[in-house]
Amino acid sequence: MAKEIKTIGVLTSGGDAPGMNAAIRAVVRTALNKGLNVKGIQKGYNGLINDEVIDMNKRSVADIIQKGGTILYTARCLEFMTPEGQKKGAEICRKHGIDGIVVIGGDGSFRGAQKLAEAGVNTIGLPGTIDLDIACSDYTIGFDTAVNTAMEAIDKIRDTSTSHERCSIIEVMGRNAGYIALWCGIANGAEDILLPERYDNDEQVLINHIIEGRKRGKKHHLIINAEGIGHSTGMARRIEAATGIETRATILGYMQRGGSPTCKDRMYASVMGAYAVDLLCEGKSNRVVAYKNGKFVDFDIDEALSMKKDISEYEFNVSALLSK
Ligand code: ADP
Ligand code: F6P
């Protein structure tokens, strides 16, 4: 028989993402409404190991749904990757009577959650990352806000780029995943999109494309470059030298990870937070909440981590056709 959960913990781990606060609020209030105790674990697995655990009540999560970042702070924790660190984490859970944990983060954080589940603490993961790179889910908390933030910034760069008839390289976040670059590339009508999953480092192709565009009367040339490819400043210098067209690089950086979450991020994060607590109350463990084919669903973490996801070839081709 499934063990009855009395106290749950919630933590945020890995890179922060707008909407994490909405998820924390939903976890805390759903659990309290069910008569459970709730503990907030600060600074991800780091705070768990160092016993940075606080009591949460309904007022602890007041006035946060509209805020970016995470009120519980977040961190990366090397020690938790070791069996000793994981043992320490599970012991701290036992000390506080925490029998279920909601972990809000990316794939790495889910690997940590797997380890806690193995050590006897029921765990549920919520997909929290601006990168959208969680294979089991069509949605991740923070992506919608991040792409909207980047899109608005790129619109502004486009204005000045056109006025000066320049080429602009705009670097967006995504070390391993190009979803932000792809979405902004399409939404901002960029002439080129460079994705870590696709780019072959052939700058001559870009140079030819810019020159052809100019011949066809294009007033600007926007290149959205994902962080994983990087080197935007050097690329701009080389393109300017080869084409004779003034070229500027802008690295949008961490502004994409902050700011007030969009309606979608607040709404989805809230539903996912409540869903996670429901799963814990049903005695479930080692599961991740996802949004798949228009529905909120859950997967076994082992299965979720074995899934693969790739950039859509069709979407990538559409972007090239529409910017001609
Ligand atoms: P994300 O959750 O965004 O993918 P990371 O990959 O940085 O971010 O992982 C966040 C944290 O999760 C790591 O700092 C570490 O504490 C924990 N973690 C990652 N991989 C493992 C693992 N294999 N075993 C245990 N804990 C892990
Ligand atoms: O959270 C995802 C992300 O923002 C990636 O897009 C980026 O590559 C990475 O985190 C940056 O991490 P850090 O905060 O360690 O610089």
Side-chain angles (χ1 to χ4, degrees):
M1 215 183 78
K3 81 175 168 193
E4 198 196 334
I5 299 285
K6 294 203 178 67
T7 301
I8 68 159
V10 54
L11 64 82
T12 48
S13 165
D16 66 346
M20 280 184 165
N21 281 329
I24 294 168
R25 171 178 175 271
V27 168
V28 171
R29 292 211 172 147
T30 307
L32 291 169
N33 287 338
K34 288 175 183 281
L36 306 177
N37 304 310
V38 189
K39 308 275 180 184
I41 298 151
Q42 297 178 316
K43 306 174 201 167
Y45 295 119
N46 236 344
L48 179 63
I49 286 178
N50 295 325
D51 202 359
E52 296 182 67
V53 179
I54 55 171
D55 289 325
M56 306 285 282
N57 59 41
K58 287 199 175 167
R59 298 284 69 77
S60 325
V61 290
D63 201 26
I64 66 166
I65 196 165
Q66 78 284 13
K67 290 186 178 147
T70 156
I71 58 157
L72 290 176
Y73 308 101
T74 185
R76 297 199 165 90
C77 175
L78 282 181
E79 194 182 347
F80 199 72
M81 319 255 298
T82 66
E84 298 73 35
Q86 292 151 15
K87 193 162 157 251
K88 241 196 241 177
E91 274 161 14
I92 299 289
C93 287
R94 278 187 269 280
K95 173 179 159 188
H96 291 278
I98 295 172
D99 26 37
I101 283 202
V102 179
V103 171
I104 309 167
D107 280 349
S109 304
F110 297 162
R111 289 202 170 83
Q114 262 178 330
K115 299 296 176 195
L116 275 179
E118 280 166 23
V121 184
N122 286 2
T123 58
I124 305 294
L126 292 189
T129 168
I130 63 163
D131 286 348
L132 195 67
D133 60 344
I134 293 182
C136 70
S137 190
D138 300 335
Y139 163 85
T140 62
I141 297 169
F143 175 75
D144 190 58
T145 307
V147 279
N148 277 289
T149 301
M151 182 189 75
E152 284 173 20
I154 296 165
D155 278 344
K156 295 185 170 91
I157 295 168
R158 183 192 183 98
D159 289 344
T160 169
S161 199
T162 310
S163 307
H164 288 262
E165 298 181 73
R166 282 176 175 159
C167 169
S168 286
I169 303 176
I170 300 118
E171 189 171 309
V172 297
M173 274 194 144
R175 199 174 291 153
N176 304 310
Y179 293 100
I180 298 178
L182 177 68
W183 278 56
C184 288
I186 296 176
N188 292 102
E191 276 69 26
D192 279 294
I193 308 175
L194 312 184
L195 308 175
E197 296 89 342
R198 292 274 185 285
Y199 187 55
D200 61 4
N201 289 304
D202 190 349
E203 276 181 16
Q204 195 55 49
V205 173
L206 285 178
I207 289 163
N208 296 345
H209 197 200
I210 294 164
I211 294 170
E212 280 163 26
R214 215 22 81 103
K215 283 188 191 145
R216 282 188 280 110
K218 285 242 170 203
K219 294 291 183 201
H220 62 234
H221 194 103
L222 294 188
I223 302 173
I224 310 297
N225 184 27
E227 175 193 357
I229 295 163
H231 304 290
S232 297
T233 310
M235 206 183 271
R237 234 184 356 254
R238 291 189 293 277
I239 287 175
E240 181 165 316
T243 60
I245 295 166
E246 275 190 321
T247 304
R248 297 283 190 270
T250 308
I251 298 169
L252 296 184
Y254 292 95
M255 67 174 294
Q256 296 160 93
R257 275 222 315 238
S260 181
T262 57
C263 178
K264 180 171 181 176
D265 277 330
R266 297 181 199 193
M267 193 278 183
Y268 280 40
S270 298
V271 175
M272 285 180 153
Y275 193 132
V277 176
D278 287 345
L279 289 176
L280 283 174
C281 290
E282 287 163 22
K284 304 267 174 63
S285 179
N286 203 48
R287 309 281 307 170
V288 54
V289 179
Y291 186 79
K292 198 83 189 155
N293 303 324
K295 286 201 176 79
F296 294 99
V297 292
D298 56 286
F299 294 98
D300 184 82
I301 294 188
D302 305 5
E303 186 193 352
L305 289 173
S306 71
M307 292 181 185
K308 297 273 174 284
K309 170 170 180 176
D310 197 10
I311 293 288
S312 150
E313 200 63 43
Y314 185 78
E315 290 168 18
F316 187 64
N317 292 337
V318 160
S319 81
L321 282 176
L322 297 186
S323 66
K324 279 217 191 309

